[in-house]
Amino acid sequence: MIDEKDIAEFIYREAELLDTMQWQAWLDLFHPEGRYWMPLEWQQQDPVLQPSLMYEDLLLLKVRVERLAGERTFSQKPKSRCHHLLQSPRIVACVPEAGVFKARTSYIYTETRGDMLERYSGWASHDLVQVGDALKIRLKRVDLVNFDAPFGNIQLFM
Amino acid sequence: MKKYGENAEAIAALVREAEVHRDVYVDPEIFELEMEHLFPNSWIYVGHASQLAKPGDFITANIGRQPVMASRHSDGSIHVFYNRCPHKGVKIASEPCGNTGKFFRCPYHAWSFKTDGSLLAIPLKKGYEGTGFGDTQANEGLSKVKNVVIYRDFIFARLSVSGVSFEDYFGESLSTIDNMVDRSPEGKLAVQATPIRYMHTCNWKMLVENQTDTCHPMVAHESSAGTAVKVWKREQGDSTETPMAVQLYGPFMSPYEFYEQSGIRIWPNGHGHTGVANSIHSNYQDVSGYLDQMVAAYGEQRAHEILGEVRHNTVYFPNIMVKGAVQILRNFIPIAVDKTLVESWVYRLVGAPDKLYERALMYNRFINAPTSIVGHDDLEMYERAQEGLKSNGNQWVNLRRLYDGHEEQDVTAVINGTSERQMRNQFHAWAKFMTMDMGKRIEAAE
Ligand code: FES
Ligand SMILES: [Fe+2]
């Protein structure tokens, strides 16, 4: 039976995979219909008819991951690295009978490349589903506190 | 040490027939002169009338370094003023957009202004009696930008009091805006989305040039578009339908011949566009119901004419690019010699199916966002150029591709799509608008 502790563990594990650049293992956390979404508007409801920074399915996430290792990916010479500092996830819903698992996690994210270091603050909302014994990401939503700021390149995943 | 100052000759010498000197990208003095001369002498995009739907609506913008704002007055007219209180200079509006109600009120001493900019009231008005206030510029209210033209809801302004008229400045190039507007069955566009904003640590002109640089996509974007095509080929299984995402990424990888044949059209004053015969936007899947709507609105022949025009990137000199086929406008806003804010706007085709708006928004975040892998490819090149241009080994940037030695300036022509002629066209206009009012100022000072 999946409990609240499992949800929190899942979220820490996800961040760890990103920080250690285990991209394939990270992709494996997604449900085949999973989405990664970064809204561009305050409390945005619609990823399709409102503008977003990212709204990607597994195919597009695979493209990103494969690109990171590409021989001709010049924006990754030198490579970026990232670090997630997470607050304890707040479990929004944990109803195993209904298959509903939701959490919201406040975080600070750092992305570095060469001498550059950029910090971002925001909240990650996870909608998870149970597949077999495991949890999978149905939707990871990343709301930056300053979603409307003009950023430079954000190359990895928050 | 001022090298270029009011020296029109020295500035003109930076632009050779098919080369430009690196100072146009890296010299802070040149940047200041652009802010002082090039931008005020040019017609600059301020915003779209749909952002000013109701009386009291306003937007703010910058033309060069100068803060301006546009507002919708109670009688429906649109006005552009300098965003500066006539009392002590406080910015009147501090947000990108909003509604001010019946009047603007300065937050410092509460001078207030009608939405056409005229002075409405000053507290303790008596204190100005007998002071000659009526003869001051402040008495006129917010300083107006006099040269404003709203073309099919696109608001353009020229700060210089004298200069090239709107019609002479843009001429036939307005056909790209026409086409984008005509793509709405109602002949109307609407801004409903906040722009995607992307900070570039490079000179603004690198972005403008890149809009008609057709020899870089298959090279620089192999990492993004190339990988997208590769992954799709591998993963598609027995799927017969290409996802919209792959339709948008795929054409970037077209070979040189494709871009050669699709052609470039140049116009006077630095405007021009890629994608004359066809373009990377030619082969998107039809959106069901849209053609019928267009035929109903315009008739069979005209509807096909409108949709058959699939121009790729249209540069409106100096600093916007319009993409009619996906309803996008990119505004390259100069911040410093090596810093440019890019705002990418999407317009909704009023009356058209949602799917078209979805596609435009998708294109914008795939290509123009700080989270876009295609954007990462380009920005990396601009940043490397900004660094590389510091080299003294060679101080000239080469723009000689398909140069034939007899180019006429300020003409309309259709040329091979891999030519660097549009970049040469832009730099000719650059030198012209940089220097056109310099002689006069020197005379006035003498
Ligand atoms: S500065 Fe605006 S009212 Fe004084
Ligand atoms: Fe590009």
Side-chain angles (χ1 to χ4, degrees):
Chain A
M1 207 51 160
I2 286 169
D3 62 16
E4 302 200 343
K5 207 171 118 272
D6 296 326
I7 298 176
E9 281 305 320
F10 180 92
I11 289 165
Y12 295 136
R13 173 78 182 142
E14 190 220 346
E16 187 189 347
L17 290 176
L18 291 172
D19 289 353
T20 50
M21 296 194 259
Q22 299 186 61
W23 308 121
Q24 189 51 52
W26 178 68
L27 288 176
D28 291 341
L29 298 181
F30 279 80
H31 182 272
E33 298 297 313
R35 293 280 191 284
Y36 181 103
W37 180 23
M38 289 177 81
L40 188 60
E41 292 185 346
W42 175 241
Q43 299 186 336
Q44 189 172 332
Q45 295 305 314
D46 184 347
V48 174
L49 294 179
Q50 282 180 273
S52 299
L53 286 163
M54 268 175 84
Y55 184 59
E56 311 229 323
D57 60 12
L58 206 47
L59 178 77
L60 292 170
L61 293 176
K62 275 184 195 163
V63 170
R64 280 181 188 268
V65 159
E66 193 153 324
R67 174 182 177 275
L68 288 174
E71 184 47 40
R72 301 222 171 107
T73 303
F74 302 106
S75 77
Q76 282 299 296
K77 294 171 189 256
K79 289 203 172 305
S80 302
R81 294 192 296 271
C82 68
H83 175 260
H84 290 75
L85 182 63
L86 304 184
Q87 202 174 50
S88 331
R90 186 169 66 79
I91 309 299
V92 179
C94 180
V95 193
E97 313 75 53
V100 180
F101 310 96
K102 289 179 195 285
R104 186 168 155 95
T105 311
S106 185
Y107 68 87
I108 292 174
Y109 170 82
T110 308
E111 194 171 294
T112 75
R113 180 176 171 239
D115 297 338
M116 175 285 284
L117 182 145
E118 300 286 353
R119 286 247 160 77
Y120 306 87
S121 300
W123 301 267
S125 305
H126 286 80
D127 276 22
L128 306 173
V129 288
Q130 189 175 350
V131 177
D133 291 341
L135 286 170
K136 296 279 175 190
I137 300 173
R138 188 68 185 74
L139 177 69
K140 178 171 178 181
R141 170 181 173 142
V142 170
D143 284 279
L144 289 174
V145 65
N146 60 341
F147 52 83
D148 50 358
F151 303 111
N153 283 349
I154 299 174
Q155 301 208 53
L156 304 181
F157 304 94
M158 293 204 191
Chain B
M1 187 186 64
K2 289 248 190 287
K3 215 158 132 193
Y4 296 106
E6 294 293 315
N7 188 348
E9 242 170 78
I11 290 167
L14 294 171
V15 178
R16 292 179 179 168
E17 49 187 16
E19 284 179 318
V20 283
H21 192 268
R22 56 104 178 261
D23 280 4
V24 308
Y25 306 100
V26 300
D27 188 314
E29 193 194 347
I30 289 289
F31 180 82
E32 289 310 323
L33 292 167
E34 287 177 338
M35 297 304 103
E36 209 179 312
H37 297 277
L38 176 68
F39 278 79
N41 284 335
S42 306
W43 284 90
I44 303 295
Y45 178 68
V46 175
H48 193 261
S50 66
Q51 295 170 273
L52 305 169
K54 300 183 300 299
D57 282 352
F58 67 86
I59 52 173
T60 57
N62 278 294
I63 299 181
R65 281 221 193 284
Q66 312 213 20
V68 299
M69 56 191 290
S71 72
R72 176 81 73 177
H73 190 44
S74 45
D75 67 359
S77 56
I78 287 175
H79 300 262
V80 181
F81 353 93
Y82 291 85
N83 188 0
R84 174 218 193 268
C85 179
H87 182 207
K88 297 188 78 179
V90 168
K91 250 186 170 181
I92 296 295
S94 57
E95 289 173 292
C97 61
N99 185 286
T100 193
K102 290 211 183 326
F103 56 90
F104 292 105
R105 180 180 184 271
C106 178
Y108 200 3
H109 312 94
W111 288 25
S112 60
F113 312 91
K114 293 187 198 156
T115 43
D116 65 358
S118 54
L119 186 62
L120 178 64
I122 296 181
L124 288 173
K125 189 76 201 264
K126 277 206 185 75
Y128 289 94
E129 274 170 20
T131 64
F133 180 78
D135 301 327
T136 63
Q137 198 182 340
N139 184 44
E140 290 160 27
L142 301 169
S143 298
K144 256 199 164 143
V145 176
K146 293 194 180 67
N147 293 292
V148 174
V149 170
I150 301 167
Y151 183 80
R152 302 201 73 174
D153 282 351
F154 288 75
I155 307 167
F156 287 93
R158 191 193 71 213
L159 293 185
S160 294
V161 179
S162 62
V164 182
S165 72
F166 180 83
E167 292 72 23
D168 289 344
Y169 187 80
F170 285 120
E172 277 173 35
S173 73
L174 293 169
S175 52
T176 293
I177 289 180
D178 288 336
N179 180 257
M180 180 158 71
V181 180
D182 291 345
R183 282 169 173 265
S184 149
E186 295 177 24
K188 228 172 142 49
L189 301 177
V191 170
Q192 291 180 357
T194 43
I196 287 183
R197 302 169 83 216
Y198 196 170
M199 193 60 89
H200 278 49
T201 45
C202 66
N203 187 267
W204 64 276
K205 293 187 292 302
M206 290 180 185
L207 283 130
V208 182
E209 278 170 55
N210 185 63
Q211 305 311 308
T212 60
D213 182 323
T214 52
C215 287
H216 88 280
M218 66 297 281
V219 181
H221 299 309
E222 188 185 326
S223 102
S224 51
T227 306
V229 171
K230 200 168 85 192
V231 171
W232 170 243
K233 275 197 185 131
R234 193 180 66 218
E235 308 264 329
Q236 75 186 110
D238 22 78
S239 138
T240 49
E241 210 178 308
T242 314
M244 193 187 271
V246 181
Q247 291 178 43
L248 298 182
Y249 274 130
F252 276 82
M253 294 316 290
S254 307
Y256 290 116
E257 300 74 57
F258 172 86
Y259 288 101
E260 282 190 316
Q261 284 153 19
S262 53
I264 291 178
R265 181 183 280 117
I266 59 161
W267 288 295
N269 297 322
H271 318 302
H273 79 92
T274 47
V276 179
N278 62 350
S279 82
I280 67 164
H281 304 303
S282 300
N283 291 320
Y284 299 153
Q285 203 168 37
D286 288 341
V287 167
S288 120
Y290 177 50
L291 180 61
D292 296 342
Q293 285 183 331
M294 290 293 283
V295 169
Y298 295 99
E300 189 84 36
Q301 193 194 335
R302 180 79 189 117
H304 281 102
E305 235 170 66
I306 294 167
L307 299 177
E309 194 66 71
V310 284
R311 299 177 184 190
H312 177 195
N313 293 339
T314 300
V315 169
Y316 286 110
F317 184 82
N319 70 326
I320 60 168
M321 181 278 276
V322 170
K323 240 180 204 315
V326 282
Q327 298 86 53
I328 285 170
L329 180 149
R330 303 187 77 203
N331 196 354
F332 308 114
I333 301 166
I335 308 286
V337 67
D338 55 358
K339 202 169 176 192
T340 305
L341 168 63
V342 188
E343 284 188 350
S344 299
W345 295 84
V346 171
Y347 305 104
R348 192 165 191 158
L349 296 173
V350 176
D354 283 349
K355 202 78 190 163
L356 285 162
Y357 189 48
E358 178 184 344
R359 184 170 76 193
L361 290 168
M362 189 187 261
Y363 189 95
N364 209 27
R365 69 173 184 268
F366 279 3
I367 313 300
N368 300 331
T371 38
S372 150
I373 51 180
V374 171
H376 297 166
D377 294 336
D378 287 320
L379 178 50
E380 178 69 16
M381 295 307 130
Y382 309 144
E383 287 177 342
R384 289 188 189 200
Q386 199 70 36
E387 281 295 301
L389 287 171
K390 290 177 186 158
S391 153
N392 288 332
N394 173 357
Q395 305 199 0
W396 294 88
V397 169
N398 194 295
L399 299 174
R400 200 165 286 265
R401 194 187 302 129
L402 292 171
Y403 173 69
D404 70 3
H406 307 282
E407 275 176 11
E408 279 180 76
Q409 301 299 346
D410 285 322
V411 293
T412 300
V414 173
I415 49 180
N416 180 305
T418 57
S419 172
E420 283 169 340
R421 177 138 182 213
Q422 169 53 19
M423 299 173 207
R424 299 191 287 272
N425 187 35
Q426 278 160 211
F427 275 107
H428 174 76
W430 181 87
K432 178 163 96 180
F433 289 100
M434 274 292 264
T435 59
M436 72 190 313
D437 59 348
M438 278 185 181
K440 282 180 225 150
R441 284 179 193 221
I442 292 165
E443 277 164 35
E446 278 164 1

